[in-house]
Amino acid sequence: MTGSIGRAPIEAADVRAHIGAPWPLPGRGGTWRRWELLAAVAADDLPLAKLVEPHYDAVAILDELHARPPAPGEIWGVWAAEPPFAVLTATEGEAGWSLSGSKAFCSGARLVTHALVTAEAPDGPRLFAIDLAGDGIREGAGPAWTGAGMRRSGTRTLDLVDV
């Protein structure tokens, strides 16, 4: 293990180098192999594994939903933390759903191209897919997670306005 403290920030190319090949999907008999692949990344670079693993979680969730899988070059995250100081609200309108508010603990916020995020809707929590290149997304004033061992994962709070 080479360790991760003191290394340069993780770049998108670092993540993309580890997400090109498919991983076994959960519940289909390949769980042990899935864990082996994650362990291999984590053994070399734990903060990098913190960005690779949610990409493959998103792949599995999208598969379960029969949704479009990530396109080549896309890096997906799954941001489902819901602390009381950062609330993301979903509102349904004529043009579809709109998300506004804050989402905390977004690991890889500067690298991720798309994310599955939870938001509070009138009928309870829902899951949404967002494109981070869209308008209305900026770094928020909320806390950035700064655990010494995970600093390189680039965890931030994001503010969304009509996304």
Side-chain angles (χ1 to χ4, degrees):
M1 184 162 123
T2 59
S4 62
I5 297 175
R7 285 188 180 181
I10 297 170
E11 301 290 335
D14 300 325
V15 179
R16 286 188 180 105
H18 288 83
I19 63 172
W23 281 16
L25 293 169
R28 298 187 185 172
T31 302
W32 182 254
R33 179 67 182 140
R34 185 178 178 87
W35 282 104
E36 285 180 322
L37 292 166
L38 179 59
V41 176
D44 182 54
D45 190 338
L46 189 57
L48 178 61
K50 179 137 182 68
L51 302 179
V52 170
E53 188 261 345
H55 173 84
Y56 283 110
D57 284 349
V59 169
I61 293 165
L62 292 168
D63 181 74
E64 287 180 19
L65 296 173
H66 305 287
R68 172 187 76 80
E74 291 179 351
I75 301 170
W76 281 69
V78 178
W79 300 329
E82 296 183 351
F85 59 83
V87 177
L88 189 60
T89 304
T91 306
E92 189 174 21
E94 290 181 22
W97 288 94
S98 176
L99 305 178
S100 291
S102 296
K103 196 64 176 170
F105 308 121
C106 301
S107 294
R110 294 181 180 150
L111 306 175
V112 169
T113 62
H114 297 76
L116 296 175
V117 299
T118 55
E120 188 61 36
D123 60 348
R126 287 180 170 254
L127 183 68
F128 296 89
I130 60 171
D131 182 341
L132 277 286
D135 292 333
I137 303 173
R138 61 180 167 77
E139 190 163 330
W145 186 41
T146 57
M150 290 294 179
R151 190 167 285 130
R152 295 177 54 245
S153 67
T155 302
R156 304 279 184 268
T157 295
L158 295 179
D159 289 338
L160 287 73
V161 178
D162 294 327
V163 173

